[in-house]
Amino acid sequence: MNLTQLSMTELASLLQTRKISAMEAAEAYLAQIREKDGEIGAYLTVTEKIALQQAQKTDRQRAAGEELPRFVGIPAAVKDNICTKGIRTTCASRILENFVPPYDAAVVERLLENGIAILGKTNLDEFGMGSTTENSAFRITHNPCALDRVPGGSSGGSAAAVAAGMAPFALGSDTGGSVRLPASHCGVVGVKPTYGAVSRWGLVAFASSLEQVGVLARTVPDAAAVLDMIVGYDRRDATSRRSPGMDFSQIGQDVKALRIAMPRELFGVEITRPVREAVERAASVLERCGAAAEFVDMPSLRYALPAYYMISSAESSSNLARFDGVRYGRRAAGYTDMDSLYERSRGEGFGREVKRRLLLGSFVLSAGYYDGYYRNALRAREKIRREFAAVLEQYDVILSPVSPDTAPRIGKRDPDPVRQYQEDLCTVPANLAGLPAVSVPCGRGPDGLPIGAQLVGKPFSEPLLLRAAAVLEREVRG
Ligand code: GLN
């Protein structure tokens, strides 16, 4: 039996019935990493010793007859912008190349409380800025479905690890699509929770008002189980919200009478035909199962991309000001005064895309331009938020593509950054509105590469979104 091909739920029942030990599970995944990660490049750090120690502890507890959480002994990967105590956390940036956090992020604490064994830290676009994982300062990650393709980004390492059987599930972060896009490109399930549902404490901040830690998993029930572990109020995150309680037991139920809206703006000319057709087929599948789908107009979505790039860059210029060579992270050699210390450390430490965003962000916040750019972006955001609320009064979920196309070839993306940003058309609206969103595989393009469908819903409607995703998963995968 190949343990690395099983879902997390299947693996957990083998562990519970003691058909396998936690050591065997961890070792199987570590062996898969040794065999596969040379060509895929999903991990920046593999924490073999830590994973085996955690597994050993689980096996001892089980042998002693202790009562244990359901998923104890399952291994997992964590995106390298989520702090792990004693384990290097680089954000795929030279500026944090040797940073070892003295604490665990809240989500990592939750994993450890559940007895999850950490396999390692996964690659990303530097600080989460990008859609291909090519903006990592350290390595390229290849898409396990086709090695000449990118895995999507910015949580590309997490998605590739799950798709290649190098982790049963992984944590990612999603500021504007970074969990959903790589999930779509690698053929796995991705969830971006409702804003405030999962603690951001210990997630290295890129754009605080937009981002959430999310889940990449092999199946919908697996994604639900992980989400269930990490949601919850945390007083250390000022934007954390008490959820009204998420009841995931409805997953497996049907979608009869589910009302689905499909925004015309996300099925337009920007979307390639294979993607449009695959998502329309997904709508028909749900209709055959009793749902009702129709097209709606959401005109304010045309402001989503500019609003997202202005707001996220503005917030990043403030968040990343802390990397100055003084407190932590890289300090350049040969500086002569304070200003040259900042300039050199930041000049050497940040990559091109990060610098571009910091410049854009400082610009839209600067006196004289603030009203014209930043304030208008906030207005557009409010309009988008209201439009979502209005549509979600009449419909239960909003269905769209995740990405305009299947995964692009490595090194072949458009050199124009604005055209790269346009790939995020379908994913950024949910972040601007703070709504939960799921990406679920719904077919393949003529190139054989996976296509994802996106479901967006009301705040805290993750269980409903996953229930609809589970129906699609069952019907599409067969
Ligand atoms: N691709 C988007 C960006 O570059 C989203 C990134 C993210 O969600 N972290 O900003």
Side-chain angles (χ1 to χ4, degrees), residues 128-131 154 174-178 206 308-309 357 424:
M129 297 177 186
S131 305
S154 67
D174 190 311
T175 311
S178 281
F206 158 17
Y308 167 80
Y309 274 93
R357 307 270 183 122
D424 300 332

Side-chain angles (χ1 to χ4, degrees), residues 79 125 127-131 153-154 173-179 181 206 211 308-309 312 353 357 421 424 427-428 431:
K79 187 178 181 179
D125 289 297
F127 286 102
M129 297 177 186
S131 305
S154 67
S173 66
D174 190 311
T175 311
S178 281
V179 163
L181 183 67
F206 158 17
E211 60 209 6
Y308 167 80
Y309 274 93
S312 63
E353 182 61 24
R357 307 270 183 122
Y421 299 164
D424 300 332
T427 50
V428 298
N431 301 78

Side-chain angles (χ1 to χ4, degrees), residues 111-133:
L111 295 190
L112 296 176
E113 282 159 22
N114 279 279
I116 304 297
I118 309 289
L119 292 164
K121 305 295 296 286
T122 53
N123 199 15
L124 64 149
D125 289 297
E126 187 175 358
F127 286 102
M129 297 177 186
S131 305
T132 62
T133 311

Side-chain angles (χ1 to χ4, degrees), residues 353 356 414-422:
E353 182 61 24
R356 181 181 292 126
D414 202 307
D416 177 353
V418 173
R419 276 204 289 270
Q420 285 172 30
Y421 299 164
Q422 283 164 355

Side-chain angles (χ1 to χ4, degrees), residues 2-7 25 27-43 77 119 122 141-147 149-151 155-170 182-183 185-189 216-219 444 450 477:
N2 185 349
L3 299 181
T4 63
Q5 296 307 310
L6 301 178
S7 73
E27 267 163 1
Y29 277 92
L30 290 166
Q32 179 83 344
I33 294 170
R34 276 194 297 275
E35 191 190 318
K36 287 263 176 87
D37 207 37
E39 58 179 21
I40 291 175
Y43 284 89
L119 292 164
T122 53
T141 298
H142 299 259
N143 189 322
C145 303
L147 293 176
R149 305 286 177 140
V150 305
S155 312
S158 288
V162 173
M166 297 191 291
F169 78 88
H185 284 342
C186 293
V188 300
V189 178
L216 295 118
R218 213 164 287 159
T219 68
R444 287 188 181 260
R477 284 192 191 168

